[in-house]
Structure formats: C-alpha cells, structure tokens
Amino acid sequence: MITFLDRNFSQLNDFLTENTFSKIFILVDENTHEYCLPLLLGNLETEISFEILEVEPGEEMKNIQTVNQLWEILTEMQADRKALIINLGGGVITDMGGFVASTYKRGIKFINIPTTLLSMCDASIGGKTGIDLMHYKNMVGTFSFSEQIFVYPQFLETLPYKELRSGFAEMLKHGLIADQSHWESLIRIQKLDMEGIFPHIQTSMNIKQEVVEKDFHEKNVRKTLNFGHTIGHAIESLCLAKESPILHGEAVALGMICETYLSYLEGLITETDFEMIIENIKKYYSFIDLSDFKEEDIFDLLLNDKKNVESEINFSLLSGVGSCVFDYHCKTENIKKSLEFYKKISGF
C-alpha cells in the first residue's frame, strides 16, 4: 500500500501503533542520515526502541559484502523475527534493505520511505529486492513486498538536479509503456524541479503499482517495465566495472533511446513516433560517451541479462506511445544498429 505522509508523519505513527514490533532498525546512507533522518526522528512517536544502521552511499555499495555486514549487525543486536526495518533512502537503500529483511531469519518485516524520485516512482514499489553481483545489476534478490510504502514528497527538495532527472527517466518510461496522456503531460514540463514534477508523481506510482498487481513474479506484463533497461543496465554495469558509475536514470534514458530505435527498426512503431520520442528524451538528458566500450563487452552483458531464456535476449519494446510488447527477440544486426545510432547522435 502506498501512503502519502502528512507533515507530522501521523500515518506512520498509526502504523507503528497498530502493529507489534520488538525493535526498529532504520537503514540510511550518509546522505539520508544528514538530510532526511532528522525529520523522521523529529516526528516519530513510538515507545519501540530503535537503532540506526548507516552505509556509504552509491550503487557500488549494493553488494553481498554490505549485506553481510548488515546481517551481522542485526545478529549482534539480537534482532528477532518481530523486528522491523525501515528503509529510508533511494533505490540502493530500498533494494538492499528489502533484500536484507527478506532473507534475515528467513524474513522479517520492512517498510520503505523513499527519499528520491527514482525510489518513489520505481525502486520502492513492486516487491523486488536485490543486490549487484560483481558488476552485474540486481543479479541476486527476492520477490518480497514491503508492509507499506510511505511517501513524503518534500524529501525531494533536498535532492540535486541530477537525482531528480534520474528519477524522471522512470516516469517517462511509465508513460511510454502504459499511458500516452501521462507521457504527453511529462514532456510539456519545461523545468525539472519540484513544482513541475510533483503533480505527476502519484500517476507514475499508480502505473507501476497497477502493472505489478497484475503480475507480481514477472511472468508476463510486468516485463514491460523493463523497457530501456536491457541496454541501459548493460551500460550501467560497464560503467560500474570501470569505477565510473552513472546514475540509473541516465542509463535508462540511454537505453530508451536505443530501444526506441530498435522498436522502429523492428517495425513496431512509426518513424514519426520514433523521432518524436527521441527528441523529447534528448531534451532532458545529455549523452553518455560509449566510445571506450567494446561491442563484445556490451553483448556479453546483454546475453547475461536475467530476463533472458536459453541465451535469447528478451527485449521489451514499444508498439506505440503508451503500449509495449515483451519477450521480443531482435535481430542481432538491429541491436548493433541501435548502439551505432546512439553513438552517431551523441557525437562522441
């Protein structure tokens, strides 16, 4: 359930009162510790004892080593099966915190309080938890719903522009795969700031929630949420391996450009739609230099994508503005053309 918090966080306090938890563990990174935790603690009204668990920020921390440290801390603090983990942070915190909770003692309860646009509109919703394996994105994880998602949009006021833009990519994706009117509303936004984005957040969250409710374990329609992510995750993984990480939304924007072109090459969308979509994505995102990446390295990652079956690369591609097909197998030649197209328009 998604609940928007009032200024006093009364809905969160009601939730804690209505449930019996032995102890609360609040997972933060250094950024949310500084900018978000004081507001949470200032409004927290509970007699339940709590501890703060802090990790360093960044995708590079979303690994089994960090998870093992958190498991050990929970064990040392004698967390039992009635403990609650509150994940206060962006996508890394909600992904990793959910994974820790869903595996510790075979599962304890957790809630998500997303603090970035990316985590509000994407990572905190849908019950996917996970960590990276080496430089492969989200290769280890579970399907496990949080008890609640509590959203306080004012947290976005603490975000730098690049983080807002990162989350906006997932919102654009939601419009492209499922809701043409949402897409059209988003591309009319002239300035990516709290005022421009705020009215559209709940629509994006609802789109993802509705898709997930139809297909929790990603057997069919939930796969449409992977549009832009097959190529996007490959590039994000390569950047991570080179120790020059890019934001998830930047990778998704790149992936959406390539996969929109793929949709056109495969005859799924018209040239008019293809050009319109690319031009609108380019309005918000600068290009990423792919010149240092070998084609074979990109394909190695594409072939290792967790959505694949029997070495077939499974794409989710647009079949129109607001509609998407999944489990689509593209010609290898067209995948290469999509990467060349991106390099050509990027100018690198």
Side-chain angles (χ1 to χ4, degrees):
M1 181 184 295
I2 300 170
T3 302
F4 280 73
L5 292 168
D6 61 25
R7 58 187 292 183
N8 298 316
F9 288 26
S10 59
Q11 300 95 328
L12 173 59
N13 289 317
D14 289 345
F15 169 81
L16 295 176
T17 301
E18 292 164 3
N19 292 273
T20 304
F21 299 112
S22 56
K23 196 168 187 176
I24 296 171
F25 295 88
I26 305 174
L27 179 63
V28 296
D29 64 21
E30 292 171 358
N31 294 323
T32 54
H33 193 157
E34 179 178 356
Y35 296 108
C36 304
L37 183 61
L39 186 60
L40 172 62
L41 296 182
N43 288 287
L44 201 59
E45 297 177 3
T46 180
E47 299 298 318
I48 306 169
S49 62
F50 62 86
E51 298 284 350
I52 310 301
L53 309 178
E54 181 181 323
V55 298
E56 293 179 34
E59 182 74 24
E60 56 270 32
M61 300 307 299
K62 201 174 81 174
N63 55 50
I64 194 64
Q65 289 79 21
T66 307
V67 167
N68 192 57
Q69 290 173 1
L70 292 169
W71 283 331
E72 288 178 356
I73 292 169
L74 290 171
T75 303
E76 289 167 3
M77 292 184 172
Q78 299 182 335
D80 59 27
R81 284 185 169 178
K82 290 189 175 181
L84 173 74
I85 293 181
I86 297 178
N87 298 316
L88 179 68
V92 170
I93 291 295
T94 56
D95 281 357
M96 185 165 60
F99 180 70
V100 168
S102 67
T103 51
Y104 179 76
K105 294 192 174 179
R106 296 197 176 95
I108 61 175
K109 292 182 177 180
F110 67 99
I111 62 174
N112 290 330
I113 305 180
T115 60
T116 66
L117 186 61
L118 180 67
S119 57
M120 287 180 189
C121 292
D122 184 56
S124 69
I125 305 170
K128 277 187 180 180
T129 79
I131 55 173
D132 302 336
L133 179 63
M134 297 180 289
H135 57 276
Y136 295 97
K137 284 276 296 182
N138 299 327
M139 287 292 278
V140 179
T142 63
F143 286 99
S144 182
F145 272 127
S146 62
E147 296 300 301
Q148 292 271 348
I149 303 165
F150 291 104
V151 181
Y152 189 66
Q154 284 73 12
F155 280 141
L156 298 182
E157 294 172 355
T158 69
L159 285 184
Y161 170 75
K162 65 178 184 177
E163 292 285 355
L164 275 178
R165 187 178 63 174
S166 178
F168 190 66
E170 293 287 356
M171 297 177 71
L172 289 173
K173 179 200 75 178
H174 292 153
L176 284 171
I177 66 168
D179 189 332
Q180 182 175 357
S181 63
H182 184 51
W183 161 261
E184 291 172 350
S185 296
L186 294 175
I187 62 176
R188 286 195 291 267
I189 297 174
Q190 298 299 312
K191 185 179 180 183
L192 292 187
D193 56 16
M194 179 71 171
E195 183 180 352
I197 293 172
F198 177 76
H200 309 285
I201 292 174
Q202 189 158 12
T203 301
S204 245
M205 295 183 76
N206 289 343
I207 289 171
K208 177 157 187 185
Q209 184 78 357
E210 287 169 10
V211 172
V212 169
E213 286 174 354
K214 293 176 184 175
D215 177 27
F216 177 47
H217 286 103
E218 200 171 327
K219 300 298 184 185
N220 44 75
V221 69
R222 184 170 181 170
K223 295 179 182 179
T224 61
L225 293 168
N226 293 316
F227 171 66
H229 286 62
T230 304
I231 291 176
H233 268 172
I235 301 303
E236 190 177 1
S237 294
L238 284 174
C239 291
L240 196 61
K242 287 180 175 287
E243 297 185 352
S244 55
I246 58 175
L247 293 177
H248 177 68
E250 294 172 330
V252 170
L254 178 157
M256 288 194 295
I257 289 175
C258 292
E259 292 175 27
T260 296
Y261 188 57
L262 259 180
S263 303
Y264 168 62
L265 288 178
E266 295 286 337
L268 298 172
I269 59 173
T270 65
E271 184 175 3
T272 301
D273 280 346
F274 147 66
E275 291 176 346
M276 179 273 293
I277 292 166
I278 299 298
E279 285 306 309
N280 278 290
I281 295 174
K282 283 166 55 181
K283 281 193 315 189
Y284 302 108
Y285 298 91
S286 52
F287 290 108
I288 294 167
D289 186 358
L290 301 185
S291 58
D292 286 341
F293 298 143
K294 296 178 182 177
E295 185 179 274
E296 55 264 36
D297 291 338
I298 296 174
F299 267 82
D300 281 346
L301 284 159
L302 292 177
L303 288 167
N304 222 337
D305 191 286
K306 58 186 175 295
K307 301 182 296 296
N308 296 344
V309 178
E310 295 181 354
S311 299
E312 288 276 10
I313 302 172
N314 281 337
F315 282 94
S316 295
L317 298 179
L318 299 179
S319 53
V321 180
S323 61
C324 187
V325 295
F326 56 87
D327 287 345
Y328 195 96
H329 300 151
C330 296
K331 303 180 182 101
T332 299
E333 163 190 359
N334 283 345
I335 301 173
K336 292 179 179 179
K337 284 181 179 178
S338 73
L339 293 167
E340 289 303 317
F341 169 75
Y342 184 87
K343 290 178 183 177
K344 181 180 177 182
I345 65 172
S346 69
F348 289 113

